[in-house]
Amino acid sequence: MEKVIIDPVTRIEGHLRVEVTLDGGRVKEARTSGTLFRGFEIILKGRDPRDASQITQRVCGVCPIAHATASVFALDQAFGLEDKIPSNARIIRNLILGSNLLQSNILHFYHLAGLDFVDLTRLARYEGENASLRTLREFLAGGNSSPFLPRYEGDYRLGDKANEELASHYLLALEVRRKAHEMLAIFGGKMPHNVGTVAGGVTENPTVDKISSFLWRVNEIRQFIDNVYLGDVMRIVEKYEDYLEMGASGCQFLSYGAFNLDRDAIDKTRGSRLYEQGLADPALKLKALEPERITEQVRNSWYENGTTNRHPSRADTVPSENKSGAYSWLKAPRYDGEPCEVGPLARLMVGYSWGHSPVQNLVEKSLAAMKLKLPALQSCLGRHLARALDAKLVADAMAEWVVELKPGDPVYVPYELPDEAEGMGLSEAPRGSVGHWIRIRRGVIDNYQLVVPTTWNASPRDDSNKPGPMEKALEGIKVKDSRNPLEVVRIIRSFDPCLACAVHFVTPKGRELKIFRIR
Amino acid sequence: MKVKRQPVIWLQGAGCTGCSISIMNSVSPSIKNLLLDEVVPGSLLQLVFHPTLMAASGEVCIEVMLDAREKKEGSYILVMEGSIPTARGGIFGTVGEKKGEPVTILSRFVNLARGSLAIIAVGDCAAFGGIPAARPNPTGCKGAKDVLEHEKIDVPLINIPGCPPHPDWFVGTVAHILLYGLMSPDDLDELNRPKAFYGQLIHENCPRRPYFDEGKFARQLGEEGCLYELGCKGPFTYADCPLRHWNGGVNWVIGAGSPCLGCTEPSFPDIAGPFYKKISDWEKLKPPLK
Ligand code: SF4
Ligand code: SF4
């Protein structure tokens, strides 16, 4: 038996540590943990409820918009505005959410996960004419290889041509993701941490110049997705085909649904959306979502066992730092007692199971073009493919939504701050389902709870010792070289983990440094 | 001409990575230029360590950091992003380990700061504590300056606050260092911010200022008028957003109809909040100095 510890896992958002136990070169057991705690739930207490949409964005600089969105949904509900949000505001919120999804998915594929597959260092021998690549060559030739070297060595399989093209797209994608943020700022004011999405609607009025400037930008990004991004994923798939068979979590898929479409009500269980809401098992049997069935279990987390299996709105966080057998600061969220995988793949699987036509059409068409079958998506590279399709679906829809805006119509409804109220906001971050629950007492925040995508995906074992999706995805994986555990980091990154989100909502008390680590 | 390589170690503490993402939004130079090209003639940045961008993981990347600390002592710039948890010895944030024990961000920062040429604290978190240090500051988070003073480390410090800061503020500061050397105390205000970017109040340059002067105030979000009554913190916030605009110049906070949140000030977010409520305590907010 051999233990491999990866700390920190870089090219993700936040601070993550992974420990795998190898037995005969295969992963016997995997344990993931976050190594930073900021205490957002504690910080939010006692504040003006409206500040939640700004403060919670600072949970994560890569997907602040998902928090802004879930947060304003929770506030709208608490303020009694759910069915009063004007159309313009609904659309602009969708455009802001979509813009950031595009930048996040592109950033993830090219800049965070890409270097696990693409060999930038080989460009030191580049002989072609591409100006960007020549710059890269000069850069490497100057003996300067950071931040691209060192890295895990070994299995980089792309041929020279594909490798060169992907390297040049790594550089091109830096510009494209930046443009997605520029597009977002048209209605969101600035990014990261937009100011447009607020309780009651949005702050920015649509005007024709903004609409057309948005439209042109989204079209440019659509071209990139169609002509570059999707093809690049395919090229990786061709050379790393075995990763279509590795890394399935075997868990059910969960999607809270996102991008409200036809009505101004943002009720979480009615209304039509681009992404449907629900759960689908790996065989794509569909269940409707009943948010009351979400609980958080703590048997293997450092919290009092008495607090286990509660709904987030009634959650209590009582640390029990020396609890034997526990190994994570993450709680284990469960739906009806079962772990769930969330993210682009889950959104597609749930949408597909609904028979929701845009999702089904896109998935079927793309799979046919690649001569792949549906189960192939449930894998390490399948997640990357799903993320690219997710970007395409959203970008194409955005180009239609933006022209539905009506200059001159309202973007905001005024409201009175309630003394006592409760609210729930459910939405989708680029990396999966995000839920916010707020309780207001005496006009200020009394309790605020967040259950975020990476808590679902990187959850530890639960009360009945079922591992979380990421841990399950790693089990049984063959690791060829334990000093260069590429297989492990590839599978972990395919989930696009965001640990900044996941571990910041707990109160470790009196925990000693040496106990803080995961064994 | 021999190209000078300026090594940079970019450490992330208790933050959200938003500052890094903001720097990636830089237009001219682009992040590609910052990574690969001479930022100013004859000088390249050599980003030795950056957790979001670097290829390496785990021990491999910690070795890179320690190697640079040793071999480039006195010549590298330390960029700090995120706040530094100090409560209970800093156990709330760790990066990597040493002899099987996790190493705190606090001790990494102190160690790297001691060997650095200069420190750039990027973002409100690193400069003043920011969001993680907000009341009741459960993890004892501190900005770089507090930690440096406590540890008696005397290395030049430049603060580039903002949540996140505008990429130009960071890039401009780096360009200054590469072209003219370290900033002199005269270039900085009393909070160590470059005067070039933080020299004037938002309120001084705000296009809605005529409304303020006439007393025409917006009564709800989305309306024309000055946003003072809706909580705008522009009157005590130093930054050049109204002139520079954000994200390639497409918009900015007040431009999009939102009150300024005051995110370049040490009072963010505790005194600057509630964000959507009229300033009630001018005393605490440190009225305009200049
Ligand atoms: S200053 Fe703001 S953007 Fe930067 S790390 Fe802190 S919370 Fe994130
Ligand atoms: S909107 Fe804010 S910064 Fe602009 S004039 Fe009014 S108070 Fe001043």
Side-chain angles (χ1 to χ4, degrees):
Chain A
M1 297 259 249
E2 187 183 357
K3 257 197 177 116
V4 178
I5 297 167
I6 306 170
D7 180 9
V9 178
T10 49
R11 284 183 283 121
I12 61 158
E13 208 293 305
H15 300 250
L16 171 68
R17 170 196 167 91
V18 172
E19 180 172 317
V20 294
T21 312
L22 297 181
D23 190 0
R26 277 189 192 278
V27 176
K28 184 157 173 278
E29 208 180 77
R31 297 187 164 194
T32 54
S33 102
T35 58
L36 169 72
F37 162 71
R38 285 175 297 176
F40 268 80
E41 288 174 346
I42 305 166
I43 288 168
L44 281 159
K45 264 191 192 167
R47 284 177 199 269
D48 187 312
R50 294 169 296 182
D51 287 7
S53 68
Q54 281 303 325
I55 305 256
T56 60
Q57 285 192 72
R58 270 77 182 176
V59 164
C60 172
V62 180
C63 59
I65 303 298
H67 288 292
T69 306
S71 178
V72 299
F73 284 176
L75 294 173
D76 287 347
Q77 193 178 58
F79 302 164
L81 305 173
E82 273 187 297
D83 51 356
K84 300 190 178 68
I85 302 300
S87 265
N88 272 347
R90 172 185 62 77
I91 296 167
I92 288 178
R93 285 173 173 184
N94 284 347
L95 295 174
I96 291 176
L97 183 66
S99 301
N100 194 55
L101 183 145
L102 298 181
Q103 91 83 26
S104 180
N105 286 14
I106 292 168
L107 174 84
H108 179 261
F109 178 69
Y110 286 99
H111 310 116
L112 304 188
L115 297 185
D116 290 341
F117 300 99
V118 181
D119 184 3
L120 288 192
T121 60
R122 229 191 296 158
L123 273 297
R125 304 190 303 269
Y126 180 67
E127 282 170 358
E129 294 302 315
N130 180 306
S132 301
L133 293 184
R134 291 172 73 107
T135 317
L136 187 57
R137 185 193 64 194
E138 297 309 313
F139 177 81
L140 295 167
N144 191 350
S145 50
S146 58
F148 308 122
L149 268 184
R151 56 171 184 184
Y152 289 143
E153 292 301 336
D155 178 37
Y156 296 94
R157 305 180 199 166
L158 294 174
D160 276 345
K161 188 158 169 294
N163 193 60
E164 281 163 14
E165 287 197 18
L166 269 131
S168 79
H169 296 164
Y170 173 100
L171 299 171
L172 174 65
L174 286 170
E175 317 261 302
V176 178
R177 63 144 297 283
R178 186 194 81 215
K179 286 182 187 164
H181 267 180
E182 290 172 5
M183 174 168 89
L184 191 157
I186 293 174
F187 295 115
K190 78 167 182 28
M191 189 65 191
H193 305 326
N194 101 103
V195 292
T197 311
V198 289
V202 297
T203 62
E204 180 64 295
N205 290 292
T207 51
V208 70
D209 56 318
K210 292 189 180 118
I211 293 171
S212 68
S213 143
F214 193 99
L215 182 62
W216 277 85
R217 284 166 209 260
V218 76
N219 283 340
E220 196 184 330
I221 295 172
R222 288 168 72 201
Q223 280 185 8
F224 173 81
I225 295 170
D226 286 345
N227 302 331
V228 182
Y229 182 10
L230 282 165
D232 284 347
V233 180
M234 279 320 299
R235 273 195 270 199
I236 305 258
V237 168
E238 272 164 30
K239 289 288 172 194
Y240 295 88
E241 244 181 336
D242 42 331
Y243 281 85
L244 285 175
E245 278 148 33
M246 280 156 73
S249 74
C251 299
Q252 61 185 338
F253 298 102
L254 166 68
S255 162
Y256 287 160
F259 303 107
N260 302 297
L261 291 184
D262 64 349
R263 58 164 76 205
D264 300 334
I266 49 160
D267 180 283
K268 312 315 170 304
T269 49
R270 289 177 289 137
S272 88
R273 307 172 186 78
L274 178 70
Y275 277 121
E276 290 297 354
Q277 183 178 68
L279 295 105
D281 67 12
L284 300 193
K285 208 166 130 282
L286 186 74
K287 269 191 291 197
L289 176 80
E290 295 168 51
E292 281 305 303
R293 293 178 187 267
I294 300 166
T295 59
E296 293 184 291
Q297 305 188 350
V298 300
R299 175 172 165 174
N300 289 290
S301 317
W302 287 303
Y303 305 100
E304 284 297 339
N305 282 335
T307 63
T308 200
N309 215 21
R310 293 205 195 151
H311 186 263
S313 68
R314 294 180 293 279
D316 208 356
T317 304
V318 187
S320 171
E321 45 276 0
N322 298 319
K323 196 166 110 181
S324 82
Y327 66 96
S328 181
W329 279 118
L330 302 197
K331 296 178 180 178
R334 293 296 183 261
Y335 186 89
D336 258 347
E338 293 296 322
C340 300
E341 176 172 344
V342 299
L345 173 61
R347 287 195 281 276
L348 290 188
M349 292 299 102
V350 171
Y352 190 93
S353 315
W354 265 82
H356 184 44
S357 62
V359 175
Q360 214 170 34
N361 289 347
L362 178 67
V363 169
E364 272 171 6
K365 231 177 66 201
S366 317
L367 287 177
M370 301 169 212
K371 301 196 179 60
L372 293 175
K373 292 265 179 320
L374 199 60
L377 280 177
Q378 299 180 16
S379 65
C380 171
L381 277 183
R383 282 188 198 96
H384 286 291
L385 191 51
R387 197 166 287 113
L389 295 176
D390 181 55
K392 175 169 173 55
L393 190 78
V394 171
D396 288 354
M398 285 165 68
E400 290 174 22
W401 299 334
V402 66
V403 293
E404 290 169 8
L405 286 169
K406 296 207 174 65
D409 278 9
V411 293
Y412 180 80
V413 276
Y415 52 85
E416 294 286 317
L417 274 183
D419 248 13
E420 305 218 335
E422 275 167 37
M424 167 181 76
L426 302 180
S427 187
E428 287 285 311
R431 45 197 62 66
S433 309
V434 54
H436 287 201
W437 285 263
I438 188 173
R439 186 168 68 220
I440 300 168
R441 293 289 179 266
R442 286 177 294 280
V444 297
I445 298 174
D446 180 52
N447 191 23
Y448 203 102
Q449 298 283 328
L450 305 90
V451 181
V452 302
T454 300
T455 321
W456 286 102
N457 284 339
S459 100
R461 284 154 173 76
D462 58 24
D463 289 0
S464 46
N465 274 327
K466 276 191 292 287
M470 230 189 249
E471 294 177 334
K472 253 183 102 181
L474 286 171
E475 275 175 17
I477 294 302
K478 193 153 177 47
V479 179
K480 283 193 206 93
D481 172 2
S482 61
R483 275 173 313 141
N484 293 289
L486 273 164
E487 297 89 346
V488 175
V489 290
R490 280 172 182 161
I491 290 172
I492 288 171
R493 289 201 182 98
S494 74
F495 283 92
D496 193 2
C498 175
L499 264 287
C501 275
V503 276
H504 298 150
F505 313 113
V506 293
T507 336
K509 238 186 250 150
R511 222 183 147 68
E512 296 302 323
L513 189 49
K514 61 184 193 304
I515 314 167
F516 194 74
R517 65 187 290 255
I518 315 305
R519 287 166 210 281
Chain B
M1 185 174 75
K2 178 131 175 49
V3 177
K4 179 175 174 259
R5 294 169 190 281
Q6 174 58 55
V8 174
I9 298 180
W10 187 299
L11 188 64
Q12 288 177 341
C16 76
T17 315
C19 292
S20 287
I21 300 286
S22 187
I23 308 305
M24 290 180 78
N25 285 342
S26 182
V27 179
S28 302
S30 68
I31 180 71
K32 180 182 112 189
N33 302 139
L34 288 173
L35 285 174
L36 301 180
D37 295 321
E38 293 171 25
V39 179
V40 298
S43 296
L44 271 175
L45 290 183
Q46 187 183 1
L47 194 56
V48 185
F49 183 90
H50 189 301
T52 322
L53 291 171
M54 69 194 309
S57 281
E59 246 177 75
V60 179
C61 78
I62 296 295
E63 277 164 22
V64 174
M65 177 202 280
L66 297 179
D67 188 62
R69 165 70 179 83
E70 198 187 305
K71 299 213 180 96
K72 307 217 168 11
E73 173 146 16
S75 68
Y76 63 86
I77 295 176
L78 173 63
V79 177
M80 185 66 206
E81 169 183 9
S83 193
I84 303 158
T86 64
R88 287 205 289 285
I91 66 163
F92 294 104
T94 62
V95 186
E97 50 180 43
K98 192 177 169 188
K99 298 201 188 94
E101 296 296 327
V103 179
T104 62
I105 290 163
L106 174 65
S107 70
R108 293 259 186 239
F109 173 75
V110 168
N111 176 36
L112 290 170
R114 283 219 165 88
S116 69
L117 169 72
I119 300 168
I120 304 181
V122 167
D124 229 54
C125 289
F128 310 127
I131 294 269
R135 195 181 48 233
N137 194 355
T139 58
C141 268
K142 290 206 161 97
K145 193 174 186 185
D146 283 356
V147 174
L148 294 175
E149 275 168 8
H150 183 261
E151 299 287 327
K152 303 197 175 54
I153 299 173
D154 191 20
V155 171
L157 169 73
I158 303 168
N159 282 334
I160 313 286
C163 189
H166 195 295
D168 290 3
W169 304 337
F170 173 75
V171 173
T173 301
V174 168
H176 183 110
I177 296 175
L178 296 179
L179 281 172
Y180 317 119
L182 290 178
M183 287 183 170
S184 75
D186 282 350
D187 297 323
L188 303 174
D189 72 6
E190 71 277 20
L191 294 170
N192 294 48
R193 301 178 293 196
K195 286 181 191 158
F197 310 116
Y198 302 88
Q200 286 179 305
L201 289 165
I202 301 283
H203 192 58
E204 286 175 77
N205 294 309
C206 179
R208 298 199 189 208
R209 181 62 185 267
Y211 290 135
F212 178 89
D213 293 339
E214 281 166 28
K216 184 174 185 294
F217 297 105
R219 280 152 306 142
Q220 67 178 56
L221 293 171
E223 260 183 24
E224 268 305 297
C226 164
L227 299 163
Y228 181 69
E229 298 279 333
L230 298 179
C232 185
K233 305 299 182 301
F236 75 89
T237 304
Y238 285 93
D240 64 7
C241 305
L243 306 173
R244 190 172 297 281
H245 291 189
W246 276 69
N247 298 94
V250 301
N251 212 343
W252 67 294
V253 170
I254 294 175
S258 164
C260 164
L261 308 177
C263 76
T264 58
E265 296 296 322
S267 49
F268 178 84
D270 280 350
I271 309 171
F275 299 128
Y276 304 98
K277 214 167 176 178
K278 185 174 158 183
I279 300 174
S280 57
D281 200 341
W282 275 90
E283 276 305 295
K284 278 198 210 145
L285 287 175
K286 184 172 76 72
L289 299 167
K290 299 159 213 166

